[in-house]
């Protein structure tokens, strides 16, 4: 019933309480009037009364429509009160006052009963009391009818009507006031409750939103951190995993969460430390950046960095993983590249020296070993004539051949270019020499074939030094280099063994002293130029001079070039010396306008691109005829790097300079390379000239070399002409120019050289 009345009163949240009370009152008015109409008809109290009460019900219904449906609260309120109090009730009492004086009380009683349907406990008690009072009045009315019945006087009727009216007004007013008061009271309490409930609800909503935001942020961080993260229960089951861990492990979340123990992802040696958080089974313990192996769902091993910590206030752990597999692979690759030769795949010089230090440690414990330094003879010719691709393929084949002839455990390394090192552990002198000789013989007799460039023959120069633990690694490397250099000087394709004895140490000391002299001479400008004439064989006239270098010591003594040139070449000082020689020679040419001068360029300087540029710039700046300037390079140096030699000759020829190939005849057995070099002179090596007048073989060789020079439109120059007989032989062979002590000694000045030159020949 209450629900139905509430529905009739209006459930709109924005409908005021007083409006709802009015709606209920109007409904009651309709009900009372309809009940009154029925009673009037049953009791036959009068047609007019029945029509009046029915008409009043219609009016109350219309007012309810205006109030509840049209929301016209004011019209319904005031019209209803006026009709109820001043029209309807007085009319009924006036009409029936003398007949049924108890009818108003009956109306009060019906109204009170209906009001009980909406009342609380306090209102029920109040209305019961009111009903009792009214009931007493009704009983008294009918038992003692003097109040209304039996009295027809207007005054008595007026009194009776007045009493009824007053009681009705008072009772309805009290009823209405009680309803309003209780509704207000209930509404205030309910409003306060709703306010508190709404406030609590807002706080709860805000807390839930904050909690949801925190969970969303946590989830977002958990999922988008870029790191694999899991939450681990006390029983080591993974309760939560993010997408990165899915990728790392290869499992889906549904397969992981609540189903898998994280033990299965680690090896047995790592699991204890990972589980115990660095051996700290207490809240707050942690393990940071622990590097270990991780096994995915396929059993593949990955390298990871793990950090584990307990979640505060719980026994749960949170673990994060960083997959460093690719980093480890890159590190391994970088380490390999740092320790291995990119072309041949064998260890490089750095790795070789590291291995040497380990071998030295063993040698100091009595385990003798050996170092072999290997150099491929004339490798530059293969490289320059056929290109670097051919040279690379040749080197790969050479390495394969060498490795096939080494023992298991022997270390082969590429030290740079065409030089290699071999470490022979646990070997004696005889075995080391035997293995080195085997490598030399195999290389000499083997033909190295490539897919695109054909086959090549080559040879090895090998230096051998024993390791007994008495010398450090740098001294041993220096000795091995010295042994290799000695093998080259003695004609290549040979093995030279150096013992780390006093004689070798003394030689190294001497080399160091010479090196110091060279450095000081460069810093203090203590080099000198000497000049030796080159004459025409047919008439003895001087064609030009060759500039020769000397080193002046602190005490004034001169150091000859054969003493310091090879040391300067070994230690990379020749470009500086050659730059000084060119600069000083150009100064001499400016001071002697009629002079022509040839300058020696070291083979090790050919690779110095900046030196060639400096020489070109100096020649252009000196503002003189470039044909007065010539350059000499040894045949050995030119053949070793023919591409560089060709570059030098072509660029200097473009400036008008001349070029001579020195020491011709000893560097190579085939002279086909001469077609590639635009040189002007071939200087026949002095070893063929010294006894040409008495040695028919040398005479024949010189005659052949002279013919080669002329066939290529080049002039021939004979060195080491030391007597008149040699000169006569050269004239017979039609050699173009000659140079030697018989024709002119090297002198510190051009004037002195002229004075020391042989008379007219």
């Amino acid at each position: 019933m209450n629900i139905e009345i509430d529905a009739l009163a209006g459930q709109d949240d924005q409908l005021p309480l007083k409006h709802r009370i009015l709606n209920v009152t109007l409904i009651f008015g309709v009900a009372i009037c309809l009940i009154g109409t029925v009673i009037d008809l049953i009791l036959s109290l009068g047609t007019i009364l029945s029509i009046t009460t029915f008409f009043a019900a219609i009016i109350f219904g219309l007012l309810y429509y205006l109030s509840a449906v049209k929301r016209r609260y004011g019209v319904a309120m005031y019209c209803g009160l006026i009709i109820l109090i001043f029209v309807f009730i007085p009319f009924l009492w006036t009409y029936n006052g003398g007949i049924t004086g108890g009818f108003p009380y009956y109306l009060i009683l019906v109204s009170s009963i209906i009001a009980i349907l909406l009342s609380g406990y306090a209102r029920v008690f109040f209305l019961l009391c009111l009903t009792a009072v009214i009931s007493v009045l009704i009983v008294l009315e009918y038992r003692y009818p003097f109040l209304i019945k039996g009295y027809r006087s207007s005054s008595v009727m007026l009194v009776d009507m007045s009493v009824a009216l007053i009681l009705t007004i008072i009772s309805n007013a009290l009823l209405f006031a009680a309803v309003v008061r209780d509704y207000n009271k209930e509404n205030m309490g309910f409003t306060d409750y709703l306010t508190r409930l709404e406030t609590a609800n807002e706080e709860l909503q805000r807390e839930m939103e904050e909690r949801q935001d925190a969970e969303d942020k946590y989830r977002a961080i958990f999922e988008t951190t870029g790191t694999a993260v899991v939450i681990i229960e006390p029983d080591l089951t993974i309760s939560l995993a993010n997408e990165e861990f899915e990728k790392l492990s290869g499992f889906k979340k549904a397969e992981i969460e609540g189903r898998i123990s994280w033990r299965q992802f680690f090896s047995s040696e790592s699991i204890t430390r990972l589980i115990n958080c660095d051996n700290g089974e207490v809240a707050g313990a942690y393990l940071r950046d622990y590097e270990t192996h991780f096994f995915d769902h396929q059993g593949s091993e990955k390298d990871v960095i793990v950090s584990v910590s307990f979640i505060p206030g719980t026994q749960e752990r949170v673990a994060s993983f960083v997959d460093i597999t690719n980093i480890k692979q890159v590190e391994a690759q970088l380490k390999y590249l740092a320790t291995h030769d990119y072309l041949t795949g064998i260890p490089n010089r750095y790795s070789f020296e590291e291995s040497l230090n380990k071998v030295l440690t063993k040698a100091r414990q009595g385990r003798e070993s050996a170092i072999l330094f290997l150099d491929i003879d004339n490798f530059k010719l293969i490289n320059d004539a056929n290109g670097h691709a051919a040279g690379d393929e040749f080197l790969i084949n050479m390495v394969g051949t060498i490795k096939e002839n080494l023992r298991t455990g022997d270390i082969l390394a590429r030290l740079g270019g065409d030089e290699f090192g071999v470490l022979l552990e646990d070997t004696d002198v005889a075995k080391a020499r035997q293995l080195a000789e085997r490598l030399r013989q195999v290389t000499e007799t083997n033909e190295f074939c490539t897919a695109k460039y054909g086959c090549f023959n080559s040879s090895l120069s090998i230096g051998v030094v024993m390791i007994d633990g008495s010398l450090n690694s740098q001294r041993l490397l220096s000795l091995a280099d010295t042994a290799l250099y000695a093998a080259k000087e003695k004609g290549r394709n040979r093995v030279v063994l150096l013992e780390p004895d006093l004689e070798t140490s003394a030689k190294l000391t001497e080399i160091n002293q010479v090196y110091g002299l060279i450095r000081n001479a460069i810093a203090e400008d203590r080099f000198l130029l000497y000049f030796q004439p080159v004459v025409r064989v047919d008439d003895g006239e001087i064609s030009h001079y060759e500039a020769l270098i000397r080193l002046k010591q602190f005490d004034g003594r001169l150091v000859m070039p054969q003493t310091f040139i090879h040391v300067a070449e070994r230690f990379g000082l020749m470009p500086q010396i050659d730059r000084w020689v060119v600069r000083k020679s150009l100064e001499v040419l400016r001071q002697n306008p009629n002079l022509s001068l040839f300058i020696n360029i070291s083979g090790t300087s050919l690779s110095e691109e900046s030196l060639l540029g400096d020489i070109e710039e100096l020649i252009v700046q000196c503002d003189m005829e470039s044909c007065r300037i010539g350059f000499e390079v040894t045949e050995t140096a030119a053949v070793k790097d023919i591409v560089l030699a060709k570059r030098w000759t072509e660029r200097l020829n473009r400036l008008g300079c001349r070029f001579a190939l020195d020491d011709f005849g000893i560097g190579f057995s085939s002279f086909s390379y001469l077609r590639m070099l635009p040189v002007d002179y071939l200087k026949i090596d002095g070893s063929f000239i010294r006894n040409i007048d008495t040695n028919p073989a040398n005479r024949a060789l010189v005659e052949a070399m002279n013919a080669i020079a002329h066939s290529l439109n080049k002039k021939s120059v004979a060195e080491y002409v030391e007597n008149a007989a040699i000169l006569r032989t050269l004239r017979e062979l039609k050699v173009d120019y000659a140079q030697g002590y018989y024709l002119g000694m090297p002198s510190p000045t051009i004037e002195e050289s002229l004075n020391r030159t042989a008379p007219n020949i």
Side-chain angles (χ1 to χ4, degrees):
M1 186 67 181
N2 283 335
I3 296 177
E4 294 177 355
I5 293 175
D6 288 340
L8 292 174
Q11 292 297 324
D12 194 334
D13 292 339
Q14 296 181 351
L15 196 65
L17 177 62
K18 61 182 181 179
H19 200 159
R20 292 165 58 83
I21 294 174
L22 174 63
N23 294 340
V24 173
T25 303
L26 292 173
I27 292 173
F28 288 167
V30 172
I32 291 172
C33 291
L34 290 176
I35 292 172
T37 301
V38 173
I39 293 173
D40 288 342
L41 291 174
I42 294 173
L43 298 178
S44 300
L45 298 179
T47 303
I48 297 176
L49 181 60
S50 300
I51 294 173
T52 302
T53 55
F54 180 76
F55 181 75
I58 294 174
I59 293 175
F60 282 124
L62 291 175
L63 293 177
Y64 173 80
Y65 173 80
L66 289 176
S67 176
V69 179
K70 295 297 185 178
R71 306 293 177 92
R72 303 295 296 274
Y73 170 77
V75 175
M77 176 70 179
Y78 293 111
C79 290
L81 289 176
I82 291 172
I83 293 171
L84 180 65
I85 296 174
F86 296 103
V87 177
F88 178 58
I89 294 178
F91 173 78
L92 291 178
W93 288 351
T94 301
Y95 185 77
N96 292 312
I99 300 175
T100 55
F103 180 68
Y105 306 100
Y106 175 74
L107 294 179
I108 294 172
L109 181 61
V110 172
S111 299
S112 301
I113 293 172
I114 295 174
I116 290 173
L117 298 175
L118 292 176
S119 63
Y121 293 114
R123 188 181 308 157
V124 170
F125 178 76
F126 169 77
L127 290 180
L128 287 175
C129 293
L130 180 62
T131 302
V133 172
I134 294 174
S135 299
V136 170
L137 291 175
I138 292 173
V139 170
L140 291 175
E141 168 67 21
Y142 283 93
R143 188 168 183 178
Y144 303 101
F146 60 88
L147 292 175
I148 294 177
K149 292 183 177 182
Y151 295 91
R152 298 294 180 180
S153 63
S154 299
S155 58
V156 174
M157 184 180 296
L158 179 61
V159 171
D160 194 12
M161 291 174 56
S162 299
V163 170
L165 178 61
I166 291 170
L167 289 174
T168 301
I169 293 173
I170 292 173
S171 61
N172 278 280
L174 290 174
L175 175 63
F176 188 76
V179 170
V180 172
R181 185 197 64 188
D182 288 349
Y183 262 85
N184 288 337
K185 191 177 193 181
E186 291 178 5
N187 179 64
M188 289 177 63
F190 185 68
T191 302
D192 291 341
Y193 172 74
L194 287 179
T195 302
R196 291 194 301 272
L197 183 61
E198 184 177 357
T199 301
N201 185 57
E202 289 176 355
E203 292 179 356
L204 180 61
Q205 185 69 23
R206 184 167 58 252
E207 183 178 347
M208 292 177 64
E209 289 177 355
E210 291 175 354
R211 184 184 181 94
Q212 186 63 42
D213 290 342
E215 290 180 357
D216 292 342
K217 291 178 181 178
Y218 170 76
R219 172 62 68 175
I221 294 173
F222 188 76
E223 292 292 348
T224 63
T225 183
T227 303
V229 182
V230 295
I231 304 298
I232 306 166
E233 296 295 329
D235 63 354
L236 304 182
T237 302
I238 296 176
S239 61
L240 193 62
N242 64 0
E243 292 182 2
E244 291 297 324
F245 189 79
E246 279 187 302
K247 298 176 184 177
L248 179 67
S249 65
F251 289 101
K252 298 295 183 182
K253 283 187 179 182
E255 299 172 323
I256 298 173
E257 296 177 346
R259 297 175 179 269
I260 293 180
S261 171
W262 84 324
R263 288 177 178 270
Q264 75 176 68
F265 297 109
F266 302 98
S267 59
S268 57
E269 59 268 18
S270 297
I271 193 65
T272 301
R273 187 176 184 191
L274 289 170
I275 291 174
N276 293 340
C277 280
D278 204 18
N279 298 323
E281 290 275 10
V282 293
Y286 59 86
L287 176 66
R288 289 183 180 174
D289 299 339
Y290 177 62
E291 188 173 319
T292 185
H293 299 296
F294 182 94
F295 299 93
D296 63 14
H297 75 298
Q298 294 181 340
S300 300
E301 183 177 309
K302 298 179 179 179
D303 294 296
V304 296
I305 293 178
V306 186
S307 296
V308 185
S309 62
F310 278 92
I311 299 176
T314 71
Q315 288 299 312
E316 294 179 322
R317 299 175 179 87
V318 55
S320 63
F321 305 80
V322 178
D323 188 355
I324 59 171
T325 304
N326 292 336
I327 296 175
K328 282 292 186 180
Q329 291 174 350
V330 172
E331 285 180 353
Q333 184 177 9
L334 290 176
K335 184 177 181 180
Y336 179 85
L337 292 175
T339 56
H340 287 75
D341 174 54
Y342 73 96
L343 176 64
T344 60
I346 61 176
N348 59 13
R349 188 181 192 94
Y350 171 81
S351 181
F352 185 79
E353 292 183 3
E354 290 290 313
S355 299
L356 175 58
N357 289 327
K358 295 177 182 177
V359 171
L360 264 176
T361 302
K362 298 177 182 178
R364 294 188 182 103
Q365 298 171 357
R367 299 171 60 181
E368 192 175 26
S369 301
I371 297 178
L372 275 62
F373 268 21
L374 291 66
D375 183 81
I376 303 174
D377 298 329
N378 300 316
F379 171 71
K380 287 289 186 181
L381 184 62
I382 299 173
N383 225 10
D384 297 340
N386 299 277
H388 288 286
D392 290 347
E393 193 170 349
F394 172 82
L395 282 177
I396 293 172
N397 290 338
M398 174 67 77
V399 167
T401 300
I402 294 174
K403 290 174 70 174
E404 288 175 359
N405 289 275
L406 293 177
R407 306 170 306 171
T408 302
D410 292 341
I411 299 173
L412 171 65
R414 187 182 180 191
L415 305 181
D418 58 346
E419 292 187 359
F420 298 87
V422 177
L423 274 177
L424 307 176
E425 291 193 59
D426 299 322
T427 188
D428 54 26
V429 174
K431 291 179 181 178
R433 187 191 294 273
Q434 181 183 5
L435 190 144
E437 187 61 32
R438 183 168 74 243
L439 293 177
R440 187 198 66 77
Q441 290 177 358
V442 168
T443 304
E444 182 183 27
T445 58
N446 192 30
E447 194 172 41
F448 299 92
C449 296
T450 62
K452 294 176 58 178
Y453 308 101
C455 298
F456 303 97
N457 294 99
S458 188
S459 60
L460 284 178
S461 297
I462 304 176
V464 182
V465 173
M466 299 306 297
I467 306 173
D468 59 5
S470 61
L471 300 177
N472 61 31
S473 60
Q474 294 305 313
R475 289 294 299 275
L476 288 170
L477 292 173
S478 181
L479 279 175
D481 188 53
T482 301
L484 176 61
Y485 188 79
K488 292 180 182 179
E489 282 189 329
K490 292 180 179 181
R492 305 172 186 271
N493 191 25
R494 65 188 64 242
V495 176
V496 171
L497 172 67
L498 280 186
E499 297 285 355
D501 53 15
L502 293 177
E503 181 180 352
T504 303
S505 299
K507 186 174 182 180
L508 290 175
T509 301
E510 180 184 349
I511 291 174
N512 288 331
Q513 290 175 348
V514 174
Y515 173 75
L517 284 175
I518 298 171
R519 293 296 301 269
N520 290 330
I522 292 173
E524 300 174 10
D525 195 18
R526 285 193 287 104
F527 287 109
L528 299 174
L529 281 185
Y530 273 59
F531 306 95
Q532 186 176 29
V534 177
V535 302
R536 287 194 294 267
V537 172
D538 57 355
D539 59 9
E541 292 295 327
I542 296 176
S543 169
H544 57 271
Y545 287 85
E546 180 182 0
L548 304 171
I549 192 171
R550 305 288 187 268
L551 189 156
K552 186 177 182 180
Q553 298 191 69
F554 294 105
D555 57 5
R557 291 182 300 167
L558 295 181
V559 180
M560 302 304 288
Q562 59 266 29
T563 302
F564 67 85
I565 290 296
H566 71 281
V567 177
E569 288 178 336
R570 284 185 63 183
F571 291 96
L573 299 176
M574 278 310 301
Q576 299 180 60
I577 296 175
D578 286 342
R579 188 178 280 105
W580 182 91
V581 171
V582 172
R583 187 171 62 252
K584 290 297 182 180
S585 297
L586 291 176
E587 291 178 5
V588 172
L589 288 172
R590 281 196 297 267
Q591 296 169 4
N592 298 272
N594 298 321
L595 180 67
S596 293
L597 195 61
F598 270 65
I599 305 166
N600 286 283
I601 296 295
S602 169
T604 59
S605 297
L606 294 179
S607 60
E608 189 80 11
E609 183 69 22
S610 62
L611 175 60
L612 178 56
D614 291 344
I615 291 174
E616 290 175 321
E617 185 177 355
L618 289 171
I619 292 173
V620 173
Q621 291 177 353
C622 73
D623 191 22
M624 65 178 67
E625 292 179 299
S626 299
C627 62
R628 296 169 55 201
I629 308 169
F631 294 90
E632 296 183 11
V633 65
T634 64
E635 180 194 26
T636 304
V639 170
K640 186 175 182 181
D641 206 330
I642 198 166
V643 173
L644 290 176
K646 184 179 180 182
R647 182 189 306 167
W648 276 69
T649 55
E650 288 178 345
R651 288 174 60 172
L652 293 175
N653 278 339
R654 283 198 293 267
L655 293 177
C657 302
R658 294 173 292 172
F659 224 96
L661 195 63
D662 199 7
D663 299 338
F664 181 68
I666 66 170
F668 201 64
S669 59
S670 174
F671 302 121
S672 60
Y673 70 90
L674 290 173
R675 299 182 184 276
M676 302 173 59
L677 294 176
V679 298
D680 303 287
Y681 302 89
L682 298 180
K683 297 186 69 173
I684 302 172
D685 187 72
S687 62
F688 302 107
I689 304 298
R690 281 196 181 98
N691 56 358
I692 191 175
D693 56 329
T694 60
N695 189 326
N698 281 355
R699 179 185 176 108
L701 287 173
V702 172
E703 184 176 10
M705 286 186 280
N706 186 58
I708 290 173
H710 290 166
S711 68
L712 296 173
N713 295 319
K714 305 179 189 302
K715 300 294 183 180
S716 57
V717 181
E719 298 181 305
Y720 290 87
V721 178
E722 297 177 349
N723 55 58
I726 294 175
L727 184 60
R728 285 194 298 270
T729 304
L730 294 175
R731 188 178 291 120
E732 292 171 1
L733 296 177
K734 299 188 182 305
V735 173
D736 298 306
Y737 299 94
Q739 179 182 5
Y741 285 175
Y742 175 70
L743 301 173
M745 298 286 290
S747 303
T749 64
I750 298 297
E751 293 77 9
E752 186 175 347
S753 178
L754 288 172
N755 295 333
R756 299 176 64 180
T757 300
N760 188 6
I761 57 175

